[in-house]
mmCIF file of all heavy atoms in Angstrom:
data_model
loop_
_atom_site.group_PDB
_atom_site.id
_atom_site.type_symbol
_atom_site.label_atom_id
_atom_site.label_comp_id
_atom_site.label_asym_id
_atom_site.label_seq_id
_atom_site.Cartn_x
_atom_site.Cartn_y
_atom_site.Cartn_z
ATOM 1 N N TRP A 516 -91.258 163.831 93.088
ATOM 2 C CA TRP A 516 -90.021 163.959 92.266
ATOM 3 C C TRP A 516 -90.091 164.959 91.188
ATOM 4 O O TRP A 516 -91.206 165.151 90.597
ATOM 5 C CB TRP A 516 -89.607 162.624 91.664
ATOM 6 C CG TRP A 516 -89.424 161.518 92.657
ATOM 7 C CD1 TRP A 516 -90.317 160.699 93.252
ATOM 8 C CD2 TRP A 516 -88.209 161.300 93.349
ATOM 9 N NE1 TRP A 516 -89.779 159.841 94.125
ATOM 10 C CE2 TRP A 516 -88.419 160.158 94.272
ATOM 11 C CE3 TRP A 516 -86.880 161.826 93.286
ATOM 12 C CZ2 TRP A 516 -87.393 159.684 95.103
ATOM 13 C CZ3 TRP A 516 -85.946 161.341 94.220
ATOM 14 C CH2 TRP A 516 -86.213 160.219 95.000
ATOM 15 N N THR A 517 -89.002 165.679 90.915
ATOM 16 C CA THR A 517 -89.005 166.689 89.916
ATOM 17 C C THR A 517 -87.963 166.228 88.746
ATOM 18 O O THR A 517 -86.830 166.001 89.113
ATOM 19 C CB THR A 517 -88.522 168.067 90.426
ATOM 20 O OG1 THR A 517 -89.442 168.451 91.367
ATOM 21 C CG2 THR A 517 -88.503 169.067 89.364
ATOM 22 N N ILE A 518 -88.510 166.195 87.526
ATOM 23 C CA ILE A 518 -87.639 165.943 86.372
ATOM 24 C C ILE A 518 -87.266 167.273 85.722
ATOM 25 O O ILE A 518 -88.138 168.052 85.422
ATOM 26 C CB ILE A 518 -88.308 164.979 85.398
ATOM 27 C CG1 ILE A 518 -88.820 163.707 86.127
ATOM 28 C CG2 ILE A 518 -87.497 164.681 84.208
ATOM 29 C CD1 ILE A 518 -89.734 162.888 85.210
ATOM 30 N N PHE A 519 -85.947 167.470 85.607
ATOM 31 C CA PHE A 519 -85.536 168.734 85.106
ATOM 32 C C PHE A 519 -84.313 168.625 84.100
ATOM 33 O O PHE A 519 -83.668 167.614 84.108
ATOM 34 C CB PHE A 519 -85.234 169.835 86.109
ATOM 35 C CG PHE A 519 -84.080 169.387 87.052
ATOM 36 C CD1 PHE A 519 -82.799 169.914 86.843
ATOM 37 C CD2 PHE A 519 -84.203 168.448 88.040
ATOM 38 C CE1 PHE A 519 -81.800 169.593 87.547
ATOM 39 C CE2 PHE A 519 -83.167 168.075 88.831
ATOM 40 C CZ PHE A 519 -81.887 168.614 88.549
ATOM 41 N N VAL A 520 -84.152 169.734 83.352
ATOM 42 C CA VAL A 520 -82.971 169.776 82.414
ATOM 43 C C VAL A 520 -82.163 171.055 82.883
ATOM 44 O O VAL A 520 -82.696 172.165 82.678
ATOM 45 C CB VAL A 520 -83.307 169.951 80.963
ATOM 46 C CG1 VAL A 520 -82.148 170.083 80.072
ATOM 47 C CG2 VAL A 520 -84.143 168.683 80.522
ATOM 48 N N SER A 521 -81.046 170.811 83.424
ATOM 49 C CA SER A 521 -80.227 171.958 83.975
ATOM 50 C C SER A 521 -79.388 172.623 82.791
ATOM 51 O O SER A 521 -79.094 171.943 81.851
ATOM 52 C CB SER A 521 -79.298 171.460 85.099
ATOM 53 O OG SER A 521 -78.358 170.578 84.594
ATOM 54 N N SER A 522 -78.964 173.815 83.071
ATOM 55 C CA SER A 522 -78.067 174.540 82.145
ATOM 56 C C SER A 522 -76.771 173.906 82.035
ATOM 57 O O SER A 522 -76.147 173.867 80.963
ATOM 58 C CB SER A 522 -78.011 175.984 82.528
ATOM 59 O OG SER A 522 -79.264 176.596 82.660
ATOM 60 N N ALA A 523 -76.281 173.427 83.205
ATOM 61 C CA ALA A 523 -74.899 172.772 83.127
ATOM 62 C C ALA A 523 -74.950 171.444 82.357
ATOM 63 O O ALA A 523 -74.006 171.138 81.631
ATOM 64 C CB ALA A 523 -74.445 172.421 84.589
ATOM 65 N N SER A 524 -75.990 170.613 82.475
ATOM 66 C CA SER A 524 -76.026 169.432 81.695
ATOM 67 C C SER A 524 -76.113 169.716 80.216
ATOM 68 O O SER A 524 -75.630 168.890 79.404
ATOM 69 C CB SER A 524 -77.294 168.627 82.085
ATOM 70 O OG SER A 524 -78.473 169.327 81.908
ATOM 71 N N ILE A 525 -76.760 170.801 79.772
ATOM 72 C CA ILE A 525 -76.822 171.130 78.396
ATOM 73 C C ILE A 525 -75.417 171.455 77.857
ATOM 74 O O ILE A 525 -74.998 171.092 76.776
ATOM 75 C CB ILE A 525 -77.731 172.334 78.229
ATOM 76 C CG1 ILE A 525 -79.192 171.922 78.383
ATOM 77 C CG2 ILE A 525 -77.618 172.942 76.756
ATOM 78 C CD1 ILE A 525 -80.193 172.999 78.241
ATOM 79 N N THR A 526 -74.654 172.196 78.681
ATOM 80 C CA THR A 526 -73.276 172.537 78.326
ATOM 81 C C THR A 526 -72.377 171.244 78.196
ATOM 82 O O THR A 526 -71.731 171.186 77.119
ATOM 83 C CB THR A 526 -72.624 173.467 79.376
ATOM 84 O OG1 THR A 526 -73.444 174.615 79.446
ATOM 85 C CG2 THR A 526 -71.237 173.900 78.869
ATOM 86 N N ILE A 527 -72.508 170.408 79.118
ATOM 87 C CA ILE A 527 -71.804 169.131 79.102
ATOM 88 C C ILE A 527 -72.238 168.348 77.887
ATOM 89 O O ILE A 527 -71.340 167.676 77.094
ATOM 90 C CB ILE A 527 -72.040 168.329 80.389
ATOM 91 C CG1 ILE A 527 -71.398 169.104 81.583
ATOM 92 C CG2 ILE A 527 -71.433 166.955 80.332
ATOM 93 C CD1 ILE A 527 -71.694 168.538 82.928
ATOM 94 N N ALA A 528 -73.503 168.138 77.601
ATOM 95 C CA ALA A 528 -73.987 167.430 76.485
ATOM 96 C C ALA A 528 -73.536 167.994 75.140
ATOM 97 O O ALA A 528 -73.180 167.207 74.283
ATOM 98 C CB ALA A 528 -75.473 167.316 76.597
ATOM 99 N N GLN A 529 -73.581 169.286 75.096
ATOM 100 C CA GLN A 529 -73.171 169.892 73.763
ATOM 101 C C GLN A 529 -71.739 169.652 73.533
ATOM 102 O O GLN A 529 -71.252 169.326 72.458
ATOM 103 C CB GLN A 529 -73.409 171.435 73.915
ATOM 104 C CG GLN A 529 -73.135 172.148 72.676
ATOM 105 C CD GLN A 529 -73.551 173.643 72.779
ATOM 106 O OE1 GLN A 529 -74.266 174.044 73.694
ATOM 107 N NE2 GLN A 529 -72.976 174.460 71.912
ATOM 108 N N GLN A 530 -70.833 169.790 74.597
ATOM 109 C CA GLN A 530 -69.382 169.533 74.384
ATOM 110 C C GLN A 530 -69.163 168.074 74.134
ATOM 111 O O GLN A 530 -68.353 167.729 73.185
ATOM 112 C CB GLN A 530 -68.719 169.888 75.716
ATOM 113 C CG GLN A 530 -67.221 169.820 75.628
ATOM 114 C CD GLN A 530 -66.519 170.181 77.006
ATOM 115 O OE1 GLN A 530 -66.871 169.568 78.022
ATOM 116 N NE2 GLN A 530 -65.512 171.045 76.953
ATOM 117 N N LEU A 531 -69.806 167.201 74.730
ATOM 118 C CA LEU A 531 -69.714 165.733 74.496
ATOM 119 C C LEU A 531 -70.150 165.419 73.027
ATOM 120 O O LEU A 531 -69.423 164.598 72.396
ATOM 121 C CB LEU A 531 -70.552 164.927 75.445
ATOM 122 C CG LEU A 531 -70.448 163.416 75.267
ATOM 123 C CD1 LEU A 531 -69.024 162.809 75.547
ATOM 124 C CD2 LEU A 531 -71.505 162.708 76.177
ATOM 125 N N PHE A 532 -71.160 165.973 72.593
ATOM 126 C CA PHE A 532 -71.706 165.724 71.230
ATOM 127 C C PHE A 532 -70.586 166.103 70.160
ATOM 128 O O PHE A 532 -70.274 165.228 69.285
ATOM 129 C CB PHE A 532 -72.996 166.480 70.989
ATOM 130 C CG PHE A 532 -73.550 166.369 69.609
ATOM 131 C CD1 PHE A 532 -74.196 165.305 69.173
ATOM 132 C CD2 PHE A 532 -73.211 167.402 68.638
ATOM 133 C CE1 PHE A 532 -74.563 165.200 67.853
ATOM 134 C CE2 PHE A 532 -73.766 167.373 67.370
ATOM 135 C CZ PHE A 532 -74.485 166.215 66.983
ATOM 136 N N PHE A 533 -70.085 167.273 70.199
ATOM 137 C CA PHE A 533 -69.040 167.661 69.300
ATOM 138 C C PHE A 533 -67.729 166.798 69.363
ATOM 139 O O PHE A 533 -67.135 166.577 68.341
ATOM 140 C CB PHE A 533 -68.817 169.145 69.301
ATOM 141 C CG PHE A 533 -69.923 169.954 68.755
ATOM 142 C CD1 PHE A 533 -70.816 170.681 69.625
ATOM 143 C CD2 PHE A 533 -70.177 170.027 67.448
ATOM 144 C CE1 PHE A 533 -71.834 171.380 69.178
ATOM 145 C CE2 PHE A 533 -71.170 170.824 66.969
ATOM 146 C CZ PHE A 533 -72.106 171.511 67.748
ATOM 147 N N ILE A 534 -67.324 166.526 70.605
ATOM 148 C CA ILE A 534 -66.098 165.844 70.786
ATOM 149 C C ILE A 534 -66.276 164.343 70.147
ATOM 150 O O ILE A 534 -65.383 163.835 69.439
ATOM 151 C CB ILE A 534 -65.677 165.652 72.179
ATOM 152 C CG1 ILE A 534 -65.301 167.086 72.669
ATOM 153 C CG2 ILE A 534 -64.628 164.717 72.460
ATOM 154 C CD1 ILE A 534 -64.960 167.097 74.239
ATOM 155 N N VAL A 535 -67.414 163.737 70.411
ATOM 156 C CA VAL A 535 -67.582 162.389 69.842
ATOM 157 C C VAL A 535 -67.695 162.437 68.332
ATOM 158 O O VAL A 535 -67.214 161.592 67.687
ATOM 159 C CB VAL A 535 -68.847 161.716 70.506
ATOM 160 C CG1 VAL A 535 -69.200 160.446 69.799
ATOM 161 C CG2 VAL A 535 -68.618 161.529 71.968
ATOM 162 N N LEU A 536 -68.398 163.505 67.914
ATOM 163 C CA LEU A 536 -68.519 163.615 66.437
ATOM 164 C C LEU A 536 -67.161 163.745 65.700
ATOM 165 O O LEU A 536 -66.915 163.072 64.728
ATOM 166 C CB LEU A 536 -69.357 164.935 66.129
ATOM 167 C CG LEU A 536 -70.010 164.960 64.793
ATOM 168 C CD1 LEU A 536 -71.030 163.795 64.581
ATOM 169 C CD2 LEU A 536 -70.773 166.284 64.522
ATOM 170 N N GLY A 537 -66.346 164.638 66.255
ATOM 171 C CA GLY A 537 -64.998 164.800 65.659
ATOM 172 C C GLY A 537 -64.175 163.534 65.873
ATOM 173 O O GLY A 537 -63.435 163.137 64.903
ATOM 174 N N SER A 538 -64.199 162.808 66.977
ATOM 175 C CA SER A 538 -63.432 161.663 67.243
ATOM 176 C C SER A 538 -63.889 160.470 66.299
ATOM 177 O O SER A 538 -62.990 159.761 65.812
ATOM 178 C CB SER A 538 -63.491 161.204 68.703
ATOM 179 O OG SER A 538 -63.150 162.294 69.585
ATOM 180 N N THR A 539 -65.194 160.360 66.029
ATOM 181 C CA THR A 539 -65.655 159.290 65.265
ATOM 182 C C THR A 539 -65.211 159.537 63.784
ATOM 183 O O THR A 539 -64.858 158.541 63.170
ATOM 184 C CB THR A 539 -67.255 159.236 65.293
ATOM 185 O OG1 THR A 539 -67.676 159.160 66.643
ATOM 186 C CG2 THR A 539 -67.839 158.172 64.491
ATOM 187 N N SER A 540 -65.198 160.748 63.260
ATOM 188 C CA SER A 540 -64.806 161.023 61.927
ATOM 189 C C SER A 540 -63.338 160.711 61.738
ATOM 190 O O SER A 540 -63.005 160.194 60.724
ATOM 191 C CB SER A 540 -65.113 162.446 61.586
ATOM 192 O OG SER A 540 -64.196 163.304 62.359
#
Side-chain angles (χ1 to χ4, degrees):
W516 296 93
T517 300
I518 304 172
F519 65 99
V520 177
S521 65
S522 302
S524 62
I525 291 180
T526 304
I527 295 173
Q529 185 176 340
Q530 186 182 49
L531 178 65
F532 174 79
F533 285 106
I534 290 175
V535 172
L536 199 63
S538 304
T539 303
S540 65

